Amino acid sequence: MAAGRFLMVGAGLSGAVIGRHLAEAGHQITVIDSRGHIGGNCHTERDAETGVMLHVYGPHIFHTDDAEVWDYVNRFGTFRPYKNRVKSTTRGLSGEQEVFSLPVNLHTINQFFRKTMRPEEAHDFITQEQADTSIENPETFEEQALRFVGKDLYEAFFKGYTIKQWGMHPSELPASILKRLPVRFNYDDNYFFHKFQGMPEDGYTAMIARILDHPGISLRLETEFTPEMGEGFDHVFYSGPLDGYFGYELGRLGYRTLDFERFTHQGDYQGCAVMNYGEEEVPYTRITEHKHFAPWEEHEGSVLYREFSRLAEPGDIPYYPIRQVKEKELLAAYVALAEETRGVTFAGRLATYRYLDMDVTIREALDAARGFAACLEAGAPVPAFFTSPL
């Protein structure tokens, strides 16, 4: 197979992983990004004042059951063990603010209801006394929560937080958002279930820099992509916004974005990495204290961010695809346009308009690179998507 010249639009995980795979196969890869750094929203950097490793676009905790993906990231970085243990400040049954553990677990249930139940007792209490069993087929987020945990826990931990995060009432959101309701009837407060969990010792940006460190890869930052750029390459992999590739000609896909309010503290401000705020009256969704994302380090100073969610406007960084009915209709129209476009493959969270965890992003990038190589070998057409956005 003759060596090709391929353009990766985006220096995040998708572009880096696909580019590395193809570079190792002997191809010449150019990676461009409109930002002045690599890593996309996984970008990390040291704070000049405190030395704390900052997750610049919000926390990213690596967790997966995919052994190949876990081996892949460990090839390019040393991962330290890290368990995500989230707390929530919200009103208890007394009406006073209290701090609880998330996800909802046996400690949360006993603390909230002022009881000392064993696992079986707590299970029966929630399913028989709290859950609204009259809701047989939950269709909305609110019905899903009421069906499985009942009114009290729903209003304390899910209702206000969801209204702030999504900008709409849970009764307007599909039940699928809360499909796997995190409730445990033991004292396990590890937020994730996955077999492999950790944090790169020197940050995600250093890891992605090593992925891109190959003689077959050239990198150009602060470079805006235009479709005409693809004319000088054999194929383009595009990981930017799907609607942006087409100049938003059909309209803009809806996203939620985040605003961060930074503040510093001498010492330990909240004693944990993530503190949610479940009440709608508190304007921010959570406070993150970034030195706790690297518990193997010691820092006197601390850097924290209050997070505020809102509807994304042109020029904002898109975070969470809304994917309601009208967005899905517009997405289908853009997918049809993409499938008529030759010489371009769309990959990654923005180009497929889906919220993707990092491990899924890497898995899909590896699969796309292998699928692309197979198409080249067979002389077959290269699809616009190796993973359907629909």
Side-chain angles (χ1 to χ4, degrees):
M1 180 171 57
R5 295 182 66 249
F6 305 128
L7 176 64
M8 306 291 138
V9 182
L13 284 170
S14 293
V17 171
I18 295 171
R20 177 70 183 223
H21 188 90
L22 296 177
E24 289 179 347
H27 302 290
Q28 292 299 308
I29 310 299
T30 299
V31 180
I32 67 171
D33 202 290
S34 60
R35 304 189 205 187
H37 60 75
I38 63 172
N41 283 6
C42 298
H43 175 56
T44 50
E45 64 184 31
R46 289 282 178 194
D47 178 60
E49 179 185 348
T50 62
V52 171
M53 181 66 77
L54 302 179
H55 295 225
V56 177
Y57 300 97
H60 286 74
I61 295 106
F62 201 91
H63 52 98
T64 187
D65 285 325
D66 191 324
E68 185 188 11
V69 168
W70 181 246
D71 290 343
Y72 186 88
V73 295
N74 278 273
R75 174 184 165 193
F76 296 102
T78 300
F79 272 69
R80 295 271 198 140
Y82 183 85
K83 304 294 188 195
N84 190 30
R85 292 186 165 91
V86 177
K87 305 300 177 186
S88 179
T89 296
T90 190
R91 282 192 295 269
L93 288 179
S94 67
E96 298 295 321
Q97 280 196 333
E98 299 180 56
V99 176
F100 299 91
S101 289
L102 291 181
V104 173
N105 59 69
L106 186 55
H107 191 189
T108 316
I109 295 167
N110 277 330
Q111 181 186 353
F112 189 87
F113 292 104
R114 298 293 191 267
K115 294 180 179 290
T116 56
M117 294 178 284
R118 293 181 295 102
E120 295 88 348
E121 293 171 330
H123 178 271
D124 292 345
F125 174 73
I126 294 296
T127 58
Q128 297 174 18
E129 297 184 39
Q130 293 295 307
D132 186 346
T133 55
S134 69
I135 304 172
E136 294 184 4
N137 297 299
E139 295 183 359
T140 69
F141 182 111
E142 181 171 70
E143 289 177 345
Q144 182 85 344
L146 292 174
R147 173 65 181 83
F148 286 99
V149 298
K151 179 175 180 289
D152 293 330
L153 293 176
Y154 160 65
E155 292 188 345
F157 298 106
F158 299 104
K159 182 179 178 180
Y161 190 94
T162 302
I163 290 171
K164 292 185 290 186
Q165 181 73 7
W166 290 101
M168 59 183 72
H169 196 276
S171 62
E172 301 174 86
L173 292 166
S176 58
I177 292 180
L178 206 61
K179 220 170 232 181
R180 295 184 299 274
L181 193 67
V183 178
R184 297 178 188 158
F185 297 103
N186 57 33
Y187 289 103
D188 181 7
D189 63 351
N190 180 5
Y191 202 81
F192 301 116
F193 288 93
H194 297 97
K195 180 178 180 181
F196 306 108
Q197 301 181 41
M199 200 75 81
E201 188 174 55
D202 51 359
Y204 291 104
T205 296
M207 180 191 79
I208 294 171
R210 294 186 193 103
I211 298 173
L212 292 169
D213 184 14
H214 186 280
I217 298 176
S218 61
L219 175 66
R220 287 158 41 193
L221 299 177
E222 297 182 332
T223 301
E224 292 286 345
F225 170 76
T226 61
E228 294 75 24
M229 288 182 181
E231 295 172 3
F233 296 89
D234 299 313
H235 198 81
V236 175
F237 285 86
Y238 178 82
S239 63
L242 177 60
D243 49 357
Y245 182 89
F246 298 100
Y248 308 100
E249 64 179 73
L250 303 178
R252 288 180 177 268
L253 291 166
Y255 281 93
R256 301 291 290 177
T257 191
L258 297 175
D259 293 323
F260 298 95
E261 183 180 277
R262 173 190 163 115
F263 64 103
T264 58
H265 179 78
Q266 267 312 106
D268 191 347
Y269 181 81
Q270 63 185 21
C272 63
V274 179
M275 178 68 74
N276 284 3
Y277 287 83
E279 299 166 58
E280 187 180 356
E281 295 76 17
V282 179
Y284 41 88
T285 54
R286 62 184 183 177
I287 295 177
T288 57
E289 187 164 13
H290 287 227
K291 70 179 180 181
H292 292 301
F293 292 120
W296 55 88
E297 298 182 357
E298 293 185 7
H299 301 280
E300 287 300 319
S302 197
V303 181
L304 303 98
Y305 293 89
R306 297 182 182 93
E307 290 187 16
F308 301 80
S309 176
R310 62 174 172 82
L311 188 66
E313 299 177 355
D316 286 330
I317 296 171
Y319 281 83
Y320 306 107
I322 295 174
R323 290 183 74 96
Q324 292 289 78
V325 173
K326 67 176 183 177
E327 285 82 18
K328 286 184 177 180
E329 291 173 352
L330 184 57
L331 172 62
Y334 274 120
V335 168
L337 273 182
E339 289 175 340
E340 295 171 359
T341 305
R342 296 292 173 261
V344 183
T345 293
F346 299 84
R349 128 191 119 82
L350 294 177
T352 60
Y353 192 58
R354 294 176 300 147
Y355 179 81
L356 300 178
D357 285 331
M358 289 180 287
D359 66 319
V360 178
T361 300
I362 293 170
R363 163 52 57 203
E364 292 189 0
L366 289 170
D367 290 347
R370 290 165 181 162
F372 177 72
C375 289
L376 292 183
E377 188 70 33
V382 179
F385 300 95
F386 282 95
T387 302
S388 173
L390 300 176

